[in-house]
Amino acid sequence: KNRAVRVLQFGYGPLTPSLVALQLRRDATLVVLEPDRRRGDAARRALAAGGNVVLVEQETIEGLGEFDLIVAVDGLYRLPASIGLAGLRRALAPSGVLVAAEAQPSVFRDLAFGLEPEAFSDETIDPAPRRLRHPEEWSAGLEQAGFVAPQVVPFRAGGSRMSLIVAERIASSAEPIDERADKPRDVAVMLAEPAGLDGR
């Protein structure tokens, strides 16, 4: 209650206007990190008159400080190697939470984009589809990056199979511990879209 909630969105997208609107109702600061140049240009135009938002276009996360909440929608699969999941964990404040919704691999994507690295030899083609992961792959990657007991739940949104990712940074013995950090916490995430979710 003595400061604003610090929110980092990785990857500019449709979620951004909702986060901007949240700032009008809550004491929150929003940083949007978009390393892709084209997406960054679109974000700059859209956010020019869209409230107090910091847009960062870089392939590192150093120098941005710590965040209470990191969110991404179809963004984590585009994480540069210079950041990675471990970089997101380091950017979280102790007891901070990462929440993301990521598309799962599909036969259609494999047929459309191919499976071999050579299929992406043209630098103008986004190689992101081959980085899509199954829920168990996200769980293993998050644990390897230092998150404790991450939860990855498959769900359907429209015709797409998605993974809901919730992971928390637990303070180590060398880090300052919030007085509530050692108490169990429940994290609830509500998903909605105009037509409602098709599935469980």
Side-chain angles (χ1 to χ4, degrees):
K1 293 182 179 180
N2 61 346
R3 61 167 177 80
V5 175
R6 299 163 296 194
V7 181
L8 171 69
Q9 180 185 8
F10 181 82
Y12 170 76
L15 178 63
T16 308
S18 297
L19 294 174
V20 172
L22 178 67
Q23 287 189 298
L24 302 177
R25 303 190 304 272
R26 297 286 187 270
D27 189 10
T29 62
L30 174 61
V31 175
V32 178
L33 175 59
E34 179 51 76
D36 181 82
R37 185 181 304 163
R38 287 175 296 178
R39 291 172 184 258
D41 290 342
R44 192 181 305 105
R45 291 191 298 269
L47 298 174
N52 185 22
V53 180
V54 177
L55 174 63
V56 181
E57 300 176 60
Q58 61 188 44
E59 290 198 357
T60 66
I61 207 164
E62 305 302 327
L64 297 183
E66 292 186 330
F67 296 89
D68 304 299
L69 174 65
I70 297 178
V71 295
V73 176
D74 277 334
L76 295 187
Y77 75 91
R78 298 192 293 112
L79 270 174
S82 56
I83 298 177
L85 293 174
L88 290 185
R89 181 196 170 277
R90 288 191 297 271
L92 278 173
S95 299
V97 179
L98 165 69
V99 180
E102 297 293 316
Q104 296 183 29
S106 68
V107 174
F108 170 77
R109 289 176 183 267
D110 292 343
L111 291 174
F113 297 103
L115 295 171
E116 301 300 325
E118 291 76 11
F120 306 100
S121 57
D122 184 348
E123 294 182 356
T124 63
I125 299 176
D126 184 0
R130 64 188 168 113
R131 296 193 209 133
L132 296 179
R133 304 182 188 185
H134 293 284
E136 59 274 14
E137 293 174 307
W138 281 117
S139 293
L142 289 162
E143 288 180 355
Q144 185 177 5
F147 289 95
V148 178
Q151 301 177 51
V152 183
V153 180
F155 71 98
R156 293 190 70 87
S160 301
R161 292 182 303 135
M162 306 286 290
S163 295
L164 173 64
I165 299 167
V166 180
E168 184 177 2
R169 175 179 179 175
I170 304 298
S172 70
S173 57
E175 294 174 317
I177 300 177
D178 184 277
E179 66 264 12
R180 297 164 297 171
D182 58 344
K183 299 179 182 178
R185 298 195 315 159
D186 293 327
V187 177
V189 179
M190 301 182 68
L191 301 171
E193 59 183 19
L197 290 177
D198 178 19
R200 295 155 295 282

